[in-house]
Amino acid sequence: MLPPIPNGWTSALAGEIARPTFSELQTFLEQERKTHPVFPSEPDVFAALDLTPLEDVRVLILGQDPYPGEGQAHGLSFSVPPDVKKPPSLVNIFKERKDDLGQAPPAHGHLASWARQGVLLLNAVLTVRAHAPNSHQGRGWEPFTDAVIRAVAAKPDPVVFVLWGAFAQKKKALIDAHKHVIVESAHPSPLSASRGFFGSKPFSRTNAALRSAHRPEIDWQVPDV
């Protein structure tokens, strides 16, 4: 079973949860967890929604699916628990943050401090089979997370959507670019970071957009834990 949808999201996602595709997704996940290790652990599947209620969302950073390595995924896109080595994409995110804001890379890659400020760290697919990237694509997560994106896009206040890479940028169709701000570039993975992620200044651009909307900026520092 999946954990309950966190408070603050239930009404916005009620229609999606009632659809047959969501029941089919739950059935698939129950069977998958019986036969394979699945990441993140069940209690962490909705961690992004739990840490960032809908009413608090000011920024959405969209990932593709969870890290598939042991102990890496904990429900926040691009983030890892404090005691886990930073994956290459996250290393590149911190390199760009240093060039953009002058902030030295932190000792760990746990991004909960961003989430608690209103940065929704959402993956398009919320689970993955161990060591098998993209293994849960097309199983029912995409309609659910599209509904999350639509709920954020329906907020009356402007939100900054950070879309790294072609996969994330396909979601622009769900976002009113006249009301919200879209910050996009290449993906931070080693395969593409040098082709447009480095130098894209997503952190300062996001804060500039928040300032223009008279909304509080994000403190992108990652404190020690």
Side-chain angles (χ1 to χ4, degrees):
M1 292 293 292
L2 285 167
I5 302 298
N7 288 337
W9 290 95
T10 48
S11 60
L13 300 176
E16 190 60 38
I17 294 167
R19 287 163 56 90
T21 50
F22 193 73
S23 296
E24 292 163 7
L25 169 65
Q26 293 190 78
T27 300
F28 163 73
L29 289 172
E30 287 174 21
Q31 184 60 35
E32 186 79 345
R33 287 193 186 273
K34 289 177 182 176
T35 54
H36 300 280
V38 172
F39 302 139
S41 65
E42 196 169 277
D44 286 338
V45 170
F46 295 132
L49 304 183
D50 188 43
L51 283 176
T52 315
L54 177 57
E55 64 182 16
D56 295 343
V57 178
R58 290 183 280 150
V59 180
L60 189 157
I61 298 179
L62 184 65
Q64 190 161 348
D65 72 339
Y67 295 122
E70 189 74 37
Q72 292 180 309
H74 67 121
L76 305 180
S77 63
F78 296 104
S79 179
V80 290
D83 56 346
V84 174
K85 181 181 178 180
K86 289 172 278 189
S89 290
L90 186 55
V91 170
N92 287 338
I93 288 169
F94 288 139
K95 284 181 180 177
E96 176 58 23
R97 191 191 64 156
K98 184 176 187 298
D99 289 342
D100 188 5
L101 303 178
Q103 297 175 357
H108 63 87
H110 192 249
L111 304 181
S113 62
W114 295 0
R116 293 190 181 100
Q117 294 179 74
V119 180
L120 180 61
L121 296 167
L122 180 71
N123 281 314
V125 175
L126 298 186
T127 56
V128 67
R129 184 186 294 183
H131 314 299
N134 305 319
S135 51
H136 287 184
Q137 282 191 358
R139 294 292 189 166
W141 277 125
E142 292 88 346
F144 176 82
T145 55
D146 281 357
V148 172
I149 295 169
R150 287 192 185 95
V152 174
K155 285 168 61 77
D157 295 323
V159 174
V160 183
F161 290 83
V162 180
L163 306 179
W164 290 327
F167 177 89
Q169 288 156 18
K170 291 177 182 176
K171 304 298 182 179
K172 286 191 290 186
L174 306 176
I175 303 162
D176 181 355
H178 297 290
K179 181 169 72 169
H180 302 295
V181 175
I182 297 174
V183 172
E184 58 184 310
S185 72
H187 194 275
S189 76
L191 296 174
S192 57
S194 61
R195 299 200 298 268
F197 176 73
F198 290 138
S200 64
K201 301 187 180 301
F203 305 101
S204 60
R205 289 167 64 195
T206 294
N207 277 350
L210 291 170
R211 282 196 307 273
S212 294
H214 307 290
R215 307 198 75 190
E217 297 180 29
I218 303 299
D219 179 1
W220 296 108
Q221 292 278 8
V222 176
D224 292 337
V225 293

